[in-house]
């Protein structure tokens, strides 16, 4: 079992480069399914989730090569139509093959997904939206089965919540549908805009990217293959920003547009940090103990739910009491008990957490419960006396390439090592 050990007391200082956005690159790889031939997605992060998605595509008949930060995807004339459980259970994002495969093949069978245990994330909006486009959908033996033998047709779709996953699946299905599809209350995340830009380059007709209304004029498929560069990962960038503020450090983050993090960076300014935005970069400096701030997670352009662990970490070492409210995932507070093991004073009530800040935390063994919680616990360990050991760090590998190396470059005493699993005699 791999663990990450960090010694508290050193501020994060220096420069760090952020690669492509995980939440964009995975979906861009699925977008390639809409075009026959070779597409190249560059600035792809070197994380385990990308390797899993590559294998999902291979089992659909694609030839996929991961070369450094490039994913080269050769899509056949008729890709496969079934995504098996053994891979889909490991990567929830693989459900995004549902829309493009249904549009290309008229039939798809995708296992119900797994992924992080951060709460219920049903597929109701995916299913109801595709049904409005003329698909016949059933759920059998753990699979979502969808067919549209006469093709999909354009329609108006209202999303009850601006779901990123539902927006992506419906968007990718609509580009090959007959007629015009209008998606209202669509997600507005930068990753959605990134997908729209790749689709447009492939020949799709999309209007309203980055707004709550997407209008898609269906075209005859397949689309043409392209080369596309993934946007920078705003969540990884935000992790380093909050780490700089929590440790009273000075970090310049390269590779992320600061406007993707407007509210998150504004909260750091309210906490006492100095934030200097640049061209695809920003700098965060903190010299004093952070002040308390209240934070509410919301869909973009609100405060990102994926940064909630870092918000709790900031509140845990801030002056005064902070109220943190989570509105997206009902299981996001699962890791709070691990923060309490580090000495944090946190009380949860439903989707609220009251955090009474302390000058220092206390190093202890803890375990990662999901990608962002794992990174947040490591950063919190930098604000603790002694050594913090974070277990189950395979979660962190799913979202943060070179995490330990980046920490070391920023001045942290850190190591990753194997710890034997305990054995018991009976």
């Amino acid at each position: 079992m791999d663990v990450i050990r960090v010694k508290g007391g050193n501020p994060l200082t220096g420069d760090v480069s952020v690669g492509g956005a995980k939440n964009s690159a995975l979906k861009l790889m699925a977008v390639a399914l809409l075009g026959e031939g070779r597409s190249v997605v560059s600035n792809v992060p070197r994380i385990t989730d990308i390797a899993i998605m590559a294998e999902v595509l291979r089992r659909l008949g694609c030839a996929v090569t991961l070369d450094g930060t490039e994913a080269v995807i050769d899509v056949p004339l008729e890709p496969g139509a079934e995504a098996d459980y053994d891979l889909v259970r490991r990567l929830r994002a693989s459900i995004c093959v549902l829309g493009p495969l249904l549009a290309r093949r008229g039939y798809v069978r995708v296992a119900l997904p797994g992924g992080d245990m951060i709460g219920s994330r049903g597929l109701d909006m995916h299913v109801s939206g595709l049904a409005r486009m003329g698909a016949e959908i059933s759920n059998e033996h753990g699979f979502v089965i969808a067919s549209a033998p006469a093709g999909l047709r354009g329609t108006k779709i209202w999303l009850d919540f601006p779901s990123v996953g539902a927006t992506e699946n419906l968007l990718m299905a609509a580009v090959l549908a007959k007629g015009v599809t209008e998606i209202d209350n669509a997600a507005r995340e930068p990753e959605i805009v990134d997908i729209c830009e790749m689709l447009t380059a492939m020949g799709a007709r999309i209007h309203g990217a980055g707004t709550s209304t997407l209008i898609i004029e269906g075209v005859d498929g397949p689309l043409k293959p392209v080369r596309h560069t993934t946007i920078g990962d705003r969540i990884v960038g935000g992790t380093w920003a909050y780490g700089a503020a929590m440790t009273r450090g000075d970090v310049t983050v390269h590779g992320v547009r600061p406007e993707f993090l407007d509210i998150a960076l504004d909260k750091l300014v309210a906490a006492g940090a100095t934030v200097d935005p640049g061209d695809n970069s920003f700098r965060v400096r903190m010299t004093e103990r952070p002040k308390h701030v209240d934070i509410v997670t919301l869909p973009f352009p609100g405060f990102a739910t994926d940064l909630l662990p870092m918000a709790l970490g900031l509140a845990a070492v801030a002056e005064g009491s902070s109220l943190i409210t989570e509105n997206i995932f009902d299981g996001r507070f699962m890791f709070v008990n691990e923060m309490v093991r580090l000495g944090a004073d946190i009380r949860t009530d439903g989707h609220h957490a009251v955090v009474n800040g302390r000058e220092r935390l206390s190093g202890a063994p803890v375990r990662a419960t999901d990608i962002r919680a794992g990174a947040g616990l490591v950063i919190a360990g930098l604000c603790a006396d002694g050594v913090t050991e974070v277990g189950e760090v395979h979660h962190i590998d799913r979202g943060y390439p070179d995490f330990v190396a980046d920490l070391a470059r920023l001045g942290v005493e850190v190591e990753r090592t194997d710890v034997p699993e305990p054995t018991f005699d009976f």
Side-chain angles (χ1 to χ4, degrees), residues 98-262:
L98 178 63
L101 286 179
L102 182 59
R104 281 288 309 272
R105 295 297 312 277
Y107 173 84
V108 63
R109 188 171 183 264
V110 179
L112 290 168
D116 282 338
M117 300 301 291
I118 54 174
S120 58
R121 298 191 283 183
L123 299 178
D124 290 355
M125 286 183 284
H126 303 242
V127 169
S128 62
L130 291 173
R132 285 190 60 83
M133 296 172 71
E136 298 176 3
I137 302 177
S138 61
N139 182 348
E140 299 175 11
H141 308 294
F143 282 82
V144 176
I145 301 171
S147 63
L152 297 171
R153 61 176 183 269
T155 187
K156 290 195 68 170
I157 300 170
W158 168 267
L159 298 180
D160 293 335
F161 177 84
S163 161
V164 172
T167 300
E168 290 164 343
N169 251 328
L170 299 174
L171 168 65
M172 287 187 278
V175 296
L176 298 185
K178 297 180 179 70
V180 176
T181 300
E182 182 177 320
I183 306 173
D184 287 319
N185 201 27
R188 301 162 56 190
E189 273 73 1
E191 293 79 14
I192 298 288
V193 178
D194 203 18
I195 291 169
C196 288
E197 289 180 353
M198 180 170 173
L199 285 168
T200 300
M202 294 174 73
R205 297 172 184 166
I206 303 168
H207 310 278
T211 75
S212 59
T213 301
L214 289 173
I215 298 175
I216 306 104
E217 301 175 43
V219 299
D220 291 332
L223 302 179
K224 66 177 186 287
V226 295
R227 172 181 287 271
H228 181 82
T229 301
T230 313
I231 60 170
D233 197 315
R234 61 194 171 101
I235 306 302
V236 175
T239 299
W240 297 125
Y242 273 68
M246 289 166 61
T247 61
R248 307 180 202 181
D250 184 348
V251 174
T252 300
V253 179
H254 301 274
V256 181
R257 292 165 58 180
E259 58 266 32
F260 291 168
L261 288 162
D262 271 347

